[in-house]
Amino acid sequence: MCTSKSDLELYIHIPFCIKKCNYCDFLSFPSKAEDREEYVQSLIKEIEQTGKVLDKNAYVVRSIFIGGGTPSLLSGEQI
């Protein structure tokens, strides 16, 4: 049993934009609503699977940053 937990900081990349800006270095591209929903469902599955693999007693999530393209293209429920 782990007695002290390691800090875990998460970055969740949302690669969707209305259009790609010339100055942007992020992986991003236009998408349809169905694409965004499929991406969110895949993220959920990945997070669930990672949670099964990690020792839950070893980590504590200290921060979650959602960035990338334009995360506001997702609905409130998707976020």
Side-chain angles (χ1 to χ4, degrees):
M1 174 76 79
C2 185
T3 57
S4 66
K5 295 183 179 187
S6 296
D7 289 348
L8 190 61
E9 298 172 346
L10 303 179
Y11 171 74
I12 299 174
H13 187 75
I14 307 298
F16 308 119
C17 289
I18 294 172
K19 71 178 196 102
K20 181 78 169 178
C21 298
N22 292 334
Y23 58 84
C24 181
D25 288 335
F26 286 107
L27 170 67
S28 61
F29 41 85
S31 65
K32 297 182 228 155
E34 305 84 48
D35 299 329
R36 295 189 294 271
E37 181 59 27
E38 183 177 345
Y39 186 80
V40 167
Q41 293 306 314
S42 294
L43 278 174
I44 290 169
K45 287 178 186 174
E46 184 173 347
I47 291 166
E48 288 172 344
Q49 290 300 318
T50 301
K52 291 176 182 177
V53 172
L54 292 180
D55 178 357
K56 292 174 181 57
N57 296 311
Y59 299 96
V60 61
V61 176
R62 295 290 182 193
S63 66
I64 300 172
F65 178 78
I66 301 173
T70 309
S72 60
L73 287 177
L74 299 181
S75 69
E77 183 177 292
Q78 289 171 321
I79 293 290

